[in-house]
Every structure is written in C-alpha cells, then in structure tokens.
Amino acid sequence: MELFVGNNPVQSSGKKIKGEFVTIDGEKYYRIAGYDAMQPFFISIASESDLWMYLSSSGGVTAGRVSPDFALFPYYTDDKITESSEWTGSKTILRVGKAGKSYLWEPFSSRNKGAYNIERSIAKSTIGNKIRFTEKNNDLGLTFTYVYMNADRFGWIKKSILTNDAIGAVEVEIVDGLQNILPAGTNRLTQTLIRRWSMPTSALSWSKKPTWPCSAWSPLWWTVPNRASRCASTPYGTTASTKSTSCCRRPSSTPSVSVAKSKPKPNRKAFAERFWP
C-alpha cells in the first residue's frame, strides 16, 4: 500500500551511494552521490590564509578567521553543528510556478522529506578548498547547487546556482542566504554563555537607533540573564561590545549602581531600574 503525507505520496528512499572523481568547471572534485542516505559525516575546508571552516554533510557549518573568537557562525562541537543544519548556514526557499500550480521547495531541508523525488550529491575539490552541495528535483525539473569557497581578501564566499533541467520555462521566486550569522565581537566565551543560558544571538542583536544622544553604536547587546539589555554591559561588569559604550549610557542624573564588595551577587533590581525606567 502506498504511503501518503497529506495528499502527496511519500517518495521511496532506495538510493544508491556512489563515489567518484569528476571534473566540474575545469576543477577536479571527489563527488558522493546519494550521501543523504549515509550517516552525517564531518568535513573541513582548507585555505591558504587564516580562514577555517568545519561543516557537516547535513549542512550545519561553523567558519571564521584565525580562531573561534572571530567565528562567522557559532563554534560548537560536531554533534551540535550536525543538528543545527535547519537554522545555521545556507538556507534556500523557492516558490515554483509550473503548469498553473505553485510549488514550495526547500532544498536540503528535512521538513518536507518525501514530498519530492530528489537526488543529492556532495563534492569536495581535490585540493580541499571548495565544497559543493547539489539537490536535483526530478518532479520540478530544477537543480539547486551552493558552493562554499574562500579568498583571503573577501573571506568566506557562498555561490548559489539554480538550473532549469526541463524544456519549458519555469517561474521561480527564491529566497537565498545564510542563517545564524554571529554579531561582530561574539567571542568564544560569549558563545558559551549564550548556549548555556539558551539565549539566541538574533534576539540579542540591536539595530534600532537609541532615544538618547549616542555617537557610537555597538553591534551586539547582551546580558547574562535570559533577556536582552538596552546597553552593552552586564550585571557582572563585563561587556560584549566591540566599541566604547560610554556614550550610550543614560544621563548622569540617573542613579548609579554600586555593589558592595562583600556581596558576591549584583543588585539586579537596581540594574533593571537603571536601564528599564
């Protein structure tokens, strides 16, 4: 008996896994077709400079320059990177108009698993500085590919390619980009605190112009408690800002907060009254 998800039959997952050397755009790669039928595996990408990248075949990724203190995506362990594929790294959503119908397609996502007849492959250049993820949708006649590569001047680069494999024209609306990019200045300690206190950096980012005069504005605003702060300082006297925040404080008429040396814990009530009048 055929299995359905809603009104759509579930596509069978009897895929064959095949590894081979191929040439793409004049470069030699080692490609694994049907890699999604395997257990997720970890990959590193090489560079000739201080750029580094680690990613999972599931799509989760971390990358940056020099050290984890300058990470572009959260620097976690391999199991957490593997699990983060739906909210970290590449994300593409397409609405495809074909034969009078509108189809939603999210390449490399497990949310609509079995809705389409797809073929996936992953290919890494033989010199180790590029990796390609490809998903072919046989039902829609489209193939989507994204490539991670690097250059010392520009840093990490993502290239996206959409190919129409069908004969007729196809109308496509596409959203393509990257998710969970860390705000500037998020060092490894900050990432650890954010993960431990379950605070997403997207909720702690601040881009709105302040209501009081301020000539400098920090890209990251956070506090150790599970809530965002309107000024880049924490109850523990530390800061996650990459710029001076002295000009972003309340006027001097606002009572200052003093903590007795004998008390190990800060006066959080006074701290809250200072920044949430």
Side-chain angles (χ1 to χ4, degrees):
M1 182 180 294
E2 190 173 10
L3 182 64
F4 286 78
V5 175
N7 295 323
N8 300 315
V10 176
Q11 303 292 334
S12 62
S13 58
K15 299 179 180 179
K16 294 182 179 180
I17 303 170
K18 181 181 180 182
E20 59 182 346
F21 286 99
V22 296
T23 301
I24 304 173
D25 296 334
E27 293 186 66
K28 196 171 184 179
Y29 289 79
Y30 185 77
R31 181 176 64 189
I32 303 176
Y35 73 92
D36 50 319
M38 304 168 57
Q39 289 291 326
F41 51 91
F42 216 54
I43 311 162
S44 63
I45 305 300
S47 76
E48 60 181 5
S49 60
D50 56 6
L51 293 164
W52 52 267
M53 173 179 281
Y54 301 100
L55 70 161
S56 170
S57 60
S58 66
V61 61
T62 183
R65 280 188 183 272
V66 184
S67 71
D69 290 337
F70 302 95
L72 183 63
F73 303 101
Y75 186 83
Y76 294 154
T77 54
D78 60 345
D79 58 324
K80 290 182 173 61
I81 293 174
T82 299
E83 295 168 358
S84 68
S85 59
E86 290 290 351
W87 61 85
T88 301
S90 177
K91 175 59 65 175
T92 307
I93 304 174
L94 300 96
R95 186 164 68 179
V96 182
K98 190 174 183 180
K101 294 184 179 180
S102 184
Y103 298 89
L104 179 65
W105 178 32
E106 193 172 342
F108 307 104
S109 175
S110 59
R111 292 192 179 101
N112 299 317
K113 186 177 181 179
Y116 295 105
N117 179 12
I118 61 171
E119 299 176 14
R120 290 178 181 172
S121 65
I122 186 172
K124 183 179 180 181
S125 62
T126 53
I127 61 175
N129 65 341
K130 293 182 182 179
I131 190 161
R132 302 172 63 99
F133 289 82
T134 301
E135 179 170 313
K136 182 178 181 180
N137 191 319
N138 295 313
D139 294 333
L140 299 179
L142 295 173
T143 300
F144 179 77
T145 301
Y146 72 89
V147 186
Y148 285 131
M149 61 188 78
N150 60 74
D152 186 32
R153 179 181 178 185
F154 301 105
W156 286 105
I157 303 166
K158 180 198 174 191
K159 179 180 179 181
S160 299
I161 307 166
L162 181 63
T163 306
N164 183 8
D165 302 319
I167 299 176
V170 179
E171 182 179 349
V172 176
E173 295 180 44
I174 182 171
V175 175
D176 179 67
L178 296 167
Q179 295 186 120
N180 204 14
I181 297 177
L182 289 174
T186 312
N187 58 31
R188 191 172 183 180
L189 173 61
T190 308
Q191 297 175 47
T192 302
L193 290 173
I194 289 171
R195 182 174 70 249
R196 183 175 299 174
W197 289 81
S198 301
M199 297 185 297
T201 53
S202 57
L204 304 179
S205 300
W206 190 269
S207 59
K208 187 178 179 181
K209 185 178 179 180
T211 55
W212 63 91
C214 181
S215 60
W217 199 244
S218 171
L220 176 61
W221 306 84
W222 68 283
T223 58
V224 174
N226 193 11
R227 58 182 176 182
S229 171
R230 292 172 63 183
C231 190
S233 61
T234 72
Y236 299 91
T238 59
T239 177
S241 171
T242 56
K243 298 181 181 179
S244 174
T245 58
S246 59
C247 65
C248 297
R249 296 172 182 168
R250 284 291 190 179
S252 57
S253 59
T254 304
S256 60
V257 180
S258 60
V259 181
K261 294 183 179 180
S262 59
K263 295 182 179 181
K265 294 184 179 180
N267 189 339
R268 297 192 179 185
K269 182 178 179 181
F271 177 81
E273 290 175 351
R274 180 183 178 185
F275 297 111
W276 285 281

